[in-house]
Amino acid sequence: MSMKNLPFLAVTMLLSLCYATTALSENKRFDHSLVPSYLVALGASFDRIKNTPIVQRCLTQNPDDMVSANIELNREMRKDIAVVENADELFQFISWDFNGDDPSGYLLNDGPLYFDTTEVAADGEDYPGIIVGRFLKPVYELISKPIDALSDLNDSSLAVYSNGLAPFRDRCGDGYISRIQMGIQAGFRIKVLSVEGSSVVSKADVVRLSESLSEIMDGNVTDIEKQDMLSKHKKYQLGFSISTSGLNPGSDFSVIVLSLGEFIDFVNGLYNDSYYSPIPVYTFVSDYPFETLSVESERRNYTRWLQVQSSLDKRCSRFWGMGNDWWLHRQLANNLLDNGTAIEDSCRAAFDLAKEKTAQCSDADKFALCDAPVSQTCTYQGMACSEIMDGSLIPEWMPVTVHKRYAKRFRSGKTHVRKVTLCLPEDAVFDISRSDSGYHRTSNHKNYRHSHVQLSHRCSETTFRIKKKKGINFSSDIYLYGLKANPTAILDEF
């Protein structure tokens, strides 16, 4: 499953997360007129490796002259909803497109405008999840006249073709846009801020709301059904973000959503085509009707190298930034790995390799260097790729939790001092990206003199100072949250 790297074609109203009971919001618009129309026009050149249109137009006819048919589509609204708990689940949701009937179609996805990975949990952090959903409805389809021969190329592109298939591919890609579906898109994310006044929200609370929203997404919710929904979730306080494309809201249809009732009205409005101002939502690509380079293996390797980059990003992202927290992340990891190479240097070298291989797999003049990310065959600057992309130098980081309960009966009222040491496994470090920096403690005797110090990259010492008249049955639970280094292979994974 690959992310479609196509332009954002949307007139977007993006609301910042806001409380359901307040009118405060931040409105942002994305003006689709800023996107060059030739990128999604009939006859536009298309790069099948990158799944993107090419700026250079290579055909003689202009887009308007290429239209052979304009067909109305009688299609139901396509919709999807999910509860996501982490960035991986969010990425999978926004990467999936709705197109199941034609594998040559490419979704014009403005997902990044309304899905924000900062609202999902860090790895290993207990989190009930956010609700994300999408709507898409193609309304009509433009179909181009067929391209029959080399004579359909403009003079400059024909001259390039005569110089070879590789330079032609770099200029004109692998095909042209032959069909465009026009329609509307909408996306949302909803976060449960509290339930019955408590900010402690369970996964069950989020799932319960998600099930109700799934019913709402079918549209045509009656006033009675609306009141039932509102009554069912009246103790929920919610935050909304909404994004739309291809809609022209009227005075009786608003894309500003601050409450569940307004969300229901918004969804009902999506089914009313009087508000539609369709924009391109799908493009379909046809091959040129003359000899071109075959790019199947390069396309496959390009996608695999993008996946390698994504894997490296997960392994390395916590070590990139500036500031004390980022520096401490690097220090902890380097203390654990202790292999003579700073992890930030290993990450940088591996990223350079992956980016170079990705570029080679999309440049026709360098296809010969487009190795697959396989340890036995991949080479880079005279050395094996596996020497640079080494899982022991750049491990995966898996969440790990250690718990210890300290309990003791103190009979006297004097001050009792006790020290408790707790360590993560030998191959783990504290996860300081968490709000609690990887250490959490509860106690039945709250006293400001309880304290803890970090002894190393994986050990902590807690000091209890306990004093209570007539003694106390003292108990405390200590939790350490860490990241375990898992030296899995980077190559051969995809």
Side-chain angles (χ1 to χ4, degrees), residues 39-44 46 53 144 175-180 283-286:
L39 286 179
V40 283
L42 291 179
F46 198 88
S144 76
Y176 65 97
I177 295 177
S178 57
R179 293 162 51 203
I180 299 175
T283 60
F284 296 82
V285 178
S286 294

Side-chain angles (χ1 to χ4, degrees), residues 84-86 118-122 125-130 191 201 203:
V84 298
E85 298 183 48
N86 54 55
T118 63
E119 287 188 18
V120 295
E125 191 165 359
D126 188 23
Y127 187 68
I130 59 173
K191 187 172 185 178
V201 178
K203 177 71 174 292

